[in-house]
Every structure is written in C-alpha cells, then in structure tokens.
Amino acid sequence: MLILGRKYKFTPLELQRLHKKFKNIAIVRYGNRSQEEVLKQLQDETNQNDFDMLVLNTKAKVGDDIIKYLTNLQFEKRNKEIKIISIEHFLEEFLHKCYIPDNHTDLHFLADIRPYNGFEYGLKRVVDYTGAFILFIINLFIKPIVSKKQKLQSPGQLYFTQERVGKNAKNFTCYKYRTMHENSYHDPYTKEGDSRIYEYGEFMRKTRIDEIPQYKNILKGEMHLIGPRAEWNILVENYEKSLPYYHERHLVAPGITGWAQVNYPYGANLEDTKQKLMYDLYYIKHWSIILELKVICKTILVVIGKKGV
C-alpha cells in the first residue's frame, strides 16, 4: 500500500493493524516538497515495490504531471490490480471509521450521518431488552459481591450517578457501581494506577462490571445496549469548544458498550476523543444487525481478556 500525503496521520495502533493486511506500506510526503521531488519518489516506490493500492491522502494541490502519472499507473500496473482510493473511503473500508478533517472547509461527512429509521430502532430495542434482561439476572448475583468488596475496601454509596449527555443532547442520570473512593480529588480523566480507584473498583472497570447497573437506563429508554459512550455533560461542553461537530454522535442514544470502545484504547486527551468520534460516526452511518453482533462479540472478548479497551 502506497500512501500519498499526510492529510490524515495514522496512529501507531492503526499502522500495526494495517501491516497485518498489507505486505508493504510506504508514505510519500507531499507538503512543502516540489512536484518533481514527489513524482520522483512515487516513481521510485512503484518501480521498487509491488503495491496493490494507492491511497490519496493529501490536501495540497496536485500537479498535472503527478495526476498523469497516477492515471497511467492504473494501466501500467493493471496486471497487479492496483487500486486508487481516497483516504475517506480507505478509512471506512479498512479501519471502519469515518474521516473527520482537521479544518472546517469540508463538512460533507455530516450529510452522511443520520439517526436510525423505525425498523432499525425496533431491532435495536429487541437487542436492548434482551441485553437488559441478561444484565438484570447477572446483577442479582454480582450485587452482593460488589457490596461486600466495597464495604471492605471503600465504604460509602454502592452506586455512582452522574449527569451524562444522551440522544438529542439531552442530559440524563447514568447509573454505575462506584469504583472510586468517595470525596476523591477531581480529575475528569483516569490514569494508570489512579489512586482514586480502590482495588476491586479497578477490577470492575477492566471487566466492565461497573457498567451493569445501566440496564436501568436501557429500560427507561435513555440508553441502548450498544452505541456511542455516554459522556459526562461537563466533558461534552469542553469537547465542543475544539470539536464543534461533536454533538453529531448524539443523533442516537448512547450505549453501555460500542464500536469506539472495542476498537480504541481508553482516551485521555482531545486527540483520543476525536479518534473515538470517528468510530462512533462510522457505527451510526453503517449500522446493521451484523455490526451490532460484532460489537457484542468484541465486548465479550474484552471482558474475558480483562482489557481496558
């Protein structure tokens, strides 16, 4: 795979995943380089390596000679089935996320995101009620254990409640098992070895046990089993200052688990938030019952592996 430009900068995790799919990956920088330099490197790379895909990943103006070369490349390499694809389509096809531009000059991606139609929503509620029933049964057994562990390690309230942003940007009260000591210092993000989290609370976070009480939110219609993560309303206000399109994810109700949660590690900064938003928008745009089942399977693997992803 040959990538022309660095409009979208791949994360180390993404490059690791792509190396499993493509034998060779090379990036031809565009930026401030001359057309001659770029064309020369393109020619060298395609002559020396057997690429089957070229990703157009530049926002700079492309010169005529480079366009001619790329056009002819499809004929010259036809026996190798070289494919030319835009970064937008590449991200959706191979990394299952929607591209969000760094600047606000191209907003066409917003036109592709829509809420679930009536049939899709009906299917989701079937999944929701099934999941909520299973969580309710599990909770009957897990609640006494959580209560006992809390009394030993961190006495206080059993549940943690917080205002979260739901569908149509409306706030609701989200229920979770408390995983931090009461009256801990304020920090919107948790860190590795966070002293606010007691021992069993850490275990609950890794295994998602702390999320079980949210079956109540599902039954009340405030959440789905699967969807974008329900974020704290204060954090959402901060995200919107830098990501004005952040509310696009609130076209649908949030979920206990979701496509972003099972595909991207826990985030602690604005770039992580943007990356997760790309996955959220892909989930909304490409929703299907198959995708729903994929998230459930991936979530089970995360829980079994105790991976805080």
Side-chain angles (χ1 to χ4, degrees), residues 273-291:
T273 300
K274 183 178 179 180
Q275 288 290 332
K276 286 204 165 192
L277 180 59
M278 293 183 189
Y279 286 106
D280 285 334
L281 296 186
Y282 176 90
Y283 173 80
I284 298 171
K285 179 179 179 180
H286 295 281
W287 186 89
S288 69
I289 197 66
I290 299 299
L291 184 58

Side-chain angles (χ1 to χ4, degrees), residues 6-33:
R6 289 175 57 84
K7 180 172 73 171
Y8 174 80
K9 297 178 178 61
F10 294 94
T11 67
L13 178 62
E14 289 172 338
L15 289 175
Q16 181 181 340
R17 290 173 177 172
L18 291 174
H19 274 294
K20 295 178 180 179
K21 297 181 180 181
F22 299 95
K23 181 180 179 181
N24 297 316
I25 297 179
I27 299 176
V28 176
R29 293 187 301 103
Y30 210 93
N32 298 322
R33 302 173 70 194

Side-chain angles (χ1 to χ4, degrees), residues 7-127:
K7 180 172 73 171
Y8 174 80
K9 297 178 178 61
F10 294 94
T11 67
L13 178 62
E14 289 172 338
L15 289 175
Q16 181 181 340
R17 290 173 177 172
L18 291 174
H19 274 294
K20 295 178 180 179
K21 297 181 180 181
F22 299 95
K23 181 180 179 181
N24 297 316
I25 297 179
I27 299 176
V28 176
R29 293 187 301 103
Y30 210 93
N32 298 322
R33 302 173 70 194
S34 68
Q35 300 284 319
E36 291 76 15
E37 289 179 305
V38 175
L39 180 59
K40 177 66 166 56
Q41 187 179 355
L42 272 174
Q43 293 171 332
D44 291 343
E45 292 286 0
T46 53
N47 289 333
Q48 295 171 14
N49 298 289
D50 186 17
F51 297 112
D52 56 8
M53 181 175 297
L54 188 145
V55 182
L56 301 177
N57 188 30
T58 179
K59 56 186 176 183
K61 182 179 180 180
V62 179
D64 291 347
D65 289 342
I66 294 178
I67 293 176
K68 291 176 183 177
Y69 180 75
L70 295 179
T71 303
N72 292 329
L73 190 64
Q74 295 178 92
F75 296 99
E76 295 172 5
K77 302 286 185 178
R78 184 175 295 276
N79 60 324
K80 298 179 181 179
E81 297 183 353
I82 193 165
K83 177 181 181 180
I84 296 181
I85 185 173
S86 69
I87 186 62
E88 291 83 357
H89 290 135
F90 178 84
L91 289 179
E92 292 195 28
E93 183 175 347
F94 292 94
L95 291 175
H96 312 299
K97 63 196 297 186
C98 286
Y99 173 74
I100 297 177
D102 288 329
N103 56 42
H104 302 156
T105 57
D106 183 5
L107 300 179
H108 80 274
F109 70 96
L110 293 175
D112 297 328
I113 312 300
R114 59 167 182 79
Y116 314 122
N117 60 38
F119 178 71
E120 292 170 340
Y121 181 78
L123 284 178
K124 278 194 70 65
R125 289 309 281 170
V126 170
V127 174

Side-chain angles (χ1 to χ4, degrees), residues 124-277:
K124 278 194 70 65
R125 289 309 281 170
V126 170
V127 174
D128 290 343
Y129 288 127
T130 303
F133 175 74
I134 293 173
L135 292 177
F136 172 76
I137 298 300
I138 294 174
N139 192 58
L140 292 177
F141 296 94
I142 201 70
K143 185 177 178 179
I145 299 174
V146 175
S147 180
K148 181 179 179 179
K149 292 287 188 181
Q150 275 193 355
K151 288 178 181 178
L152 291 173
Q153 300 178 9
S154 181
Q157 295 292 323
L158 178 63
Y159 296 108
F160 170 75
T161 60
Q162 191 177 69
E163 287 294 296
R164 300 290 177 98
V165 179
K167 184 178 180 181
N168 298 327
K170 294 180 180 179
N171 290 355
F172 70 97
T173 301
C174 182
Y175 302 93
K176 299 177 71 172
Y177 281 126
R178 181 174 57 85
T179 59
M180 292 185 178
H181 297 295
E182 289 190 337
N183 302 317
S184 298
Y185 67 88
H186 172 73
D187 188 336
Y189 297 107
T190 56
K191 302 176 178 63
E192 188 75 25
D194 200 313
S195 61
R196 296 174 298 168
I197 305 173
Y198 60 91
E199 185 179 354
Y200 194 71
E202 180 69 23
F203 173 78
M204 286 197 291
R205 281 172 171 259
K206 288 183 177 180
T207 56
R208 306 291 178 89
I209 289 175
D210 62 320
E211 312 276 0
I212 290 177
Q214 291 173 29
Y215 75 84
K216 301 175 184 178
N217 294 113
I218 293 178
L219 295 177
K220 292 168 69 175
E222 297 166 333
M223 293 181 68
H224 291 300
L225 181 67
I226 301 166
R229 176 182 170 84
E231 292 288 4
W232 188 19
N233 58 349
I234 294 176
L235 282 179
V236 170
E237 291 176 9
N238 292 331
Y239 293 154
E240 271 201 297
K241 294 175 182 177
S242 299
L243 305 173
Y245 38 74
Y246 187 77
H247 265 315
E248 192 74 2
R249 71 199 291 277
H250 298 131
L251 285 173
V252 302
I256 295 179
T257 185
W259 190 238
Q261 292 96 302
V262 299
N263 279 288
Y264 195 84
Y266 179 80
N269 55 52
L270 189 63
E271 179 56 32
D272 290 333
T273 300
K274 183 178 179 180
Q275 288 290 332
K276 286 204 165 192
L277 180 59

